[in-house]
Amino acid sequence: MSLKYILCFFFFFFPYGSAAFELPKETYVFDVTAGGDTLRLDRYPAVRGCDDKGQIVVFAFGGGFRGGSRDSASFMPFFRFLVENGVTVVSTDYRTALKDADPVRLATLPGFKDALYEAISVAVTDFYKATAFVIEHSPMWGVDSAKIIACGSSAGAITVLQAEYGICNDMVPSGILPADFNYAGVISMAGAVCAEGVPEWTAMTAPIMLFHGDADSVVPFEKAVIDGFGLWGSSTVSRALGGMGLSHVFHVVRGGGHEVSGTPMTRYRGEILNFIRLTDSPGVCRTATIEETIPGTGDYKTDFTIEDYLRSNM
């Protein structure tokens, strides 16, 4: 019996994810900003020998661009599942700029819109820098820099979708990423794209996986815009991608609220792993919409206003 199958046998019958086992990680500083913020990322190495293909997920946490933590205990079962299946995970900091915004400014729709755009731009820049750090260290980590999947929850999902949008529309700040770089895939759990008008991608995107509940009052399922500018949710993004023939999978949870920013990490992690595997097979990724309904939801609100989203994010 080969060493590879001995290792897989061991991790199957003696779970790597047991409560008594601390998930191994290495922490690195990847940037110190001009404002004095020290940004770190944690690397959780893949279990070697168990279908390891050199793939790596770079994860951005949620928290409304006000808070959140890269090493929240709630993420650990998801990270453990990925590393046990041969996928390295990097969970990264980014600046949460809304926590320092003027409350008076945030209380008005135009002020909140401008502050949110600034916060997203800062988060995306930090995510690009974390990605660059991963690219630089990929040889010593034993991962493939052409197989980096961006993944995020809530504000982190907005960040990763916006990062991909920036790459495909030539909006990456100069000198951060290699000129020809793109992610191998993007996984968004209750995310959106911030844009002037319905999002358009001027270059082919990486395969994208979207999860969203249509009763989400925090991040819009459809859109939350002022004079055509604002957040375009997963439903709008899916239609736009489909209209351009771009590869994506859209998992709709009818009656689902903002909890869909987290439930895919437990309920749909097999689907996520399958998507990650498919990104390693050019031409295999598909375009599909998957719908499910939460039993017993009955009638529920979906027609949220800009004011509703503002109140939910205050």
Side-chain angles (χ1 to χ4, degrees), residues 93-181:
D93 282 341
Y94 59 87
R95 287 169 289 171
T96 50
L98 282 185
K99 73 177 184 295
D100 300 320
D102 181 358
V104 174
R105 182 188 187 197
L106 295 180
T108 68
L109 289 176
F112 184 81
K113 178 194 74 171
D114 293 343
L116 178 62
Y117 178 72
E118 292 167 11
I120 293 171
S121 298
V122 165
V124 170
T125 296
D126 293 343
F127 194 78
Y128 286 149
K129 290 182 178 180
T131 301
F133 188 90
V134 171
I135 293 170
E136 179 184 354
H137 288 78
S138 58
M140 66 188 75
W141 289 352
V143 297
D144 190 336
S145 62
K147 298 181 180 181
I148 300 173
I149 294 99
C151 177
S153 165
S154 189
I158 294 172
T159 298
V160 300
L161 282 177
Q162 198 74 25
E164 176 66 6
Y165 190 71
I167 288 172
C168 294
N169 289 286
D170 197 25
M171 296 188 293
V172 180
S174 177
I176 297 181
L177 293 173
D180 60 348
F181 175 80

Side-chain angles (χ1 to χ4, degrees), residues 212-229:
H212 218 134
D214 67 350
D216 193 333
S217 64
V218 178
V219 177
F221 178 75
E222 288 285 350
K223 63 180 179 179
V225 300
I226 303 171
D227 298 327
F229 180 86

Side-chain angles (χ1 to χ4, degrees), residues 3-26:
L3 177 61
K4 171 180 176 179
Y5 292 104
I6 292 172
L7 286 170
C8 289
F9 177 89
F10 178 85
F11 287 114
F12 182 81
F13 286 102
F14 302 93
Y16 183 79
S18 67
F21 192 86
E22 183 71 21
L23 189 61
K25 73 175 182 181
E26 300 167 359

